[in-house]
Amino acid sequence: MQTIKIVHTNDLHSHFENFPKISRFIKKSRKNSKADEFLLFDIGDAMDRAHPLTEATDGQANIEWMNRQKYDAATIGNNEGLGNSHKQLEHLYDQANFPVILGNLYEKNGELASFAKPYKIITTKKGTKIGVLGFTAPYILTYPLMGWDIHLMQTEVPKALDEMKKLKCDVIILLSHLGVSMDRLLAKEYPQIDLIIGAHTHHLFPKGEMDNGVLLAAAGKWGRYVGTIDLKLDKGQIVDKQAYTTATAELKAKKKDQVWIDARQDEGNQILDDEKVGQIPYTLSIDIDSEHPFINEALKAVQEYADADAAVLSSGLFLQDLNKGIVTEKDLHEALPHAIHVMQTTLTGDNVWRLVMEMEKNRAFLRRHLQKGMGFRGKIFGELVYRGIQVDSKRNVYINGQELQMDKQYKLALLDHYLFVPFFPTIEIVGDNQIMYPKFIRNVFSDYLKDKYPLR
């Protein structure tokens, strides 16, 4: 008989406030484990640029922390894959002491991403061969914009499982940053997978979930839980598998924890605060009715960047004022922490009219709508504000004072966020959408301030 204990994390999203407890949990689990083998995996989205230290170090602070935990393997999430430029992602794991298992992210020339391995084979002390696979959510619209070729599961999973069969693996583990629906589908289609450790959709399986003989495990989000899996094998075959989670809130805190957490925040803020951007002559307020609304300058910035006829932004994006005087990257990161990009959308006039009507119809609802996810790091969606678009009482739409021509094409400066939320279907259905990677909206605004309000 042989036993294997696995501890796993997922979707940590740079929530450093939970890292001290997680570190002690991992260390204690490893020390107290009576299993024949102890393994530690991360299932992606370990980093999130919403934290100042992650932003300031391009995720290297996260890798340093992971190195100290002695992970056996990790895969990537969309925050690593799409929150970094191609070059940043290529070098994110340069100093990692663990392999990145990722079988579906390729260069345009057909080669697997240089930082990735398609699988890892772990041979236990008793000779059991464990095959570890890893896949990330295939955002087929956005990864190509970053210079990557992302492959779908229906092509990659069968190839990977064939390789596991050729290598005569006794146990197959999938590190899946694919989401719970895909995990369940894979369990249904490929019962030869023994264990799927999931992520991406932030789902929590407190005691695992058994689907078609495949054990699914997942530990929620933000380090609020840590997952543990116990495998029991006889002659190389699994005879029992159990999963459970531990809430970090129930783990004992130490006085030094908050000191460490605050130091991470302060270190990131200091690095960003040292990066001066521009010098503004007046305070830019998040109040859209103020003398100098922040959103108005941002509308100018995104319209220029997208080379558009008009622009639309929502007030909930802007989380704090930019005070008169010198503006730093810290100020911009605190005001616009979102993983959201500018998008140029081209529409014919009749579809511009339809989009504006969708916005007007949803305006009152969105004003206080609690928005979550899809790159948004604020609280409410907020008020929709136009630049270059006017609507009269008869629902006529004007672009820069000229009545809309229904067969003419117009370019609008929007955000990729508006493509992903369900309120403006016209964008997805008929828009010619060009998401302008890799800069986030704060980076676009930073460049705008450097040009319009240079340091004196």
Side-chain angles (χ1 to χ4, degrees):
M1 199 69 70
Q2 178 183 186
T3 54
I4 300 171
K5 184 176 289 292
I6 299 169
V7 172
H8 59 97
T9 56
N10 63 272
D11 296 288
L12 295 175
H13 283 275
S14 292
H15 277 259
F16 283 81
E17 70 272 16
N18 289 320
F19 284 17
K21 287 184 176 181
I22 294 171
S23 292
R24 288 195 296 274
F25 179 88
I26 292 170
K27 185 176 181 180
K28 185 176 180 180
S29 296
R30 182 180 275 117
K31 180 180 179 181
N32 294 342
S33 175
K34 292 180 172 58
D36 298 302
E37 304 286 339
F38 181 94
L39 300 174
L40 176 63
F41 299 127
D42 182 80
I43 323 299
D45 275 0
M47 68 169 282
D48 191 316
R49 286 180 177 272
H51 193 283
L53 187 57
T54 301
E55 173 80 346
T57 64
D58 288 336
Q60 290 306 310
N62 300 73
I63 302 303
E64 290 174 10
W65 180 82
M66 293 178 73
N67 283 343
R68 290 195 292 273
Q69 312 319 310
K70 301 177 182 177
Y71 279 86
D72 289 281
T75 194
I76 75 164
N78 44 289
N79 271 270
E80 287 91 9
L82 296 172
N84 292 294
S85 68
H86 192 289
K87 184 177 180 180
Q88 287 169 334
L89 181 55
E90 277 186 311
H91 295 289
L92 176 61
Y93 299 99
D94 283 355
Q95 305 304 316
N97 61 9
F98 53 88
V100 178
I101 311 303
L102 180 61
N104 65 322
L105 188 66
Y106 289 78
E107 297 282 3
K108 291 293 183 70
N109 64 7
E111 295 181 0
L112 189 69
S114 61
F115 63 86
K117 296 181 182 299
Y119 57 83
K120 177 178 180 176
I121 303 299
I122 299 171
T123 302
T124 71
K125 300 179 186 73
K126 294 191 176 182
T128 300
K129 189 178 286 188
I130 303 171
V132 182
L133 304 173
F135 298 109
T136 196
Y139 285 90
I140 58 175
L141 296 179
T142 48
Y143 270 108
L145 300 176
M146 304 289 279
W148 297 108
D149 182 16
I150 189 77
H151 290 196
L152 299 176
M153 292 304 96
Q154 52 261 47
T155 61
E156 296 308 306
V157 172
K159 288 194 301 184
L161 291 177
D162 284 345
E163 187 67 20
M164 296 297 96
K165 186 176 181 179
K166 290 177 185 176
L167 292 169
K168 298 181 179 180
C169 291
D170 302 297
V171 176
I172 299 175
I173 298 173
L174 172 57
L175 311 183
S176 166
H177 199 91
L178 300 170
V180 63
S181 296
M182 180 57 72
D183 290 351
R184 287 170 173 155
L185 179 62
L186 291 175
K188 180 181 178 181
E189 294 290 327
Y190 305 105
Q192 62 267 52
I193 300 172
D194 296 288
L195 169 64
I196 299 176
I197 311 178
H200 185 47
T201 44
H202 297 178
H203 52 292
L204 174 68
F205 290 148
K207 295 184 179 180
E209 177 180 289
M210 195 69 75
D211 287 336
N212 196 27
V214 180
L215 178 61
L216 274 57
K221 64 178 181 178
W222 301 352
R224 290 176 174 174
Y225 295 86
V226 185
T228 304
I229 299 157
D230 290 322
L231 304 179
K232 186 179 293 185
L233 300 87
D234 186 20
K235 297 178 182 178
Q237 300 299 307
I238 294 178
V239 294
D240 187 58
K241 43 188 174 182
Q242 304 290 332
Y244 54 95
T245 57
T246 302
T248 52
E250 296 175 2
L251 299 175
K252 185 178 180 181
K254 293 188 175 181
K255 291 182 179 179
K256 64 180 181 180
D257 288 356
Q258 196 59 49
V259 174
W260 184 90
I261 294 163
D262 292 343
R264 304 288 78 71
Q265 188 86 11
D266 294 344
E267 181 184 356
N269 281 331
Q270 186 59 60
I271 295 170
L272 294 176
D273 203 38
D274 289 340
E275 294 291 327
K276 307 295 189 290
V277 173
Q279 192 165 355
I280 55 177
Y282 38 70
T283 293
L284 297 179
S285 174
I286 60 173
D287 180 359
I288 62 175
D289 296 318
S290 68
E291 184 179 0
H292 300 291
F294 192 164
I295 196 169
N296 283 2
E297 289 283 0
L299 283 162
K300 294 177 189 176
V302 299
Q303 185 176 349
E304 290 178 8
Y305 183 65
D307 188 24
D309 301 299
V312 182
L313 291 174
S314 43
S315 63
L317 293 161
F318 304 89
L319 305 189
Q320 69 175 35
D321 296 347
L322 290 184
N323 294 321
K324 175 183 177 180
I326 293 176
V327 176
T328 69
E329 293 292 357
K330 172 178 175 290
D331 299 323
L332 293 179
H333 185 263
E334 291 177 344
L336 293 165
H338 322 285
I340 290 175
H341 305 84
V342 176
M343 181 175 71
Q344 182 198 78
T345 295
T346 303
L347 296 165
T348 54
D350 55 341
N351 287 316
V352 171
W353 182 88
R354 182 178 293 274
L355 173 60
V356 172
M357 291 304 107
E358 290 168 355
M359 291 181 168
E360 291 302 309
K361 176 182 181 295
N362 289 305
R363 178 181 293 279
F365 171 77
L366 292 173
R367 191 172 288 138
R368 293 294 175 189
H369 174 64
L370 296 174
Q371 181 61 48
K372 293 182 180 180
M374 290 163 288
F376 186 72
R377 301 294 186 256
K379 294 182 179 178
I380 62 169
F381 189 93
E383 191 75 48
L384 285 161
V385 180
Y386 303 136
R387 175 176 168 80
I389 298 174
Q390 302 83 36
V391 186
D392 67 19
S393 59
K394 297 180 179 181
R395 301 203 303 176
N396 295 310
V397 176
Y398 302 84
I399 300 293
N400 297 317
Q402 301 295 313
E403 190 170 354
L404 199 63
Q405 297 179 40
M406 295 302 170
D407 58 350
K408 180 180 177 180
Q409 288 196 327
Y410 296 90
K411 292 180 180 178
L412 305 182
L414 302 173
L415 299 176
D416 61 351
H417 182 66
Y418 302 158
L419 174 64
F420 304 136
V421 295
F423 308 114
F424 316 119
T426 293
I427 297 173
E428 181 177 6
I429 295 169
V430 294
D432 178 6
N433 304 308
Q434 297 183 41
I435 303 174
M436 305 180 76
Y437 276 94
K439 293 181 179 179
F440 291 134
I441 184 173
R442 63 176 170 274
N443 307 127
V444 172
F445 195 66
S446 175
D447 291 343
Y448 172 83
L449 291 182
K450 288 174 184 176
D451 182 60
K452 185 171 182 180
Y453 301 107
L455 294 166
R456 297 194 292 271

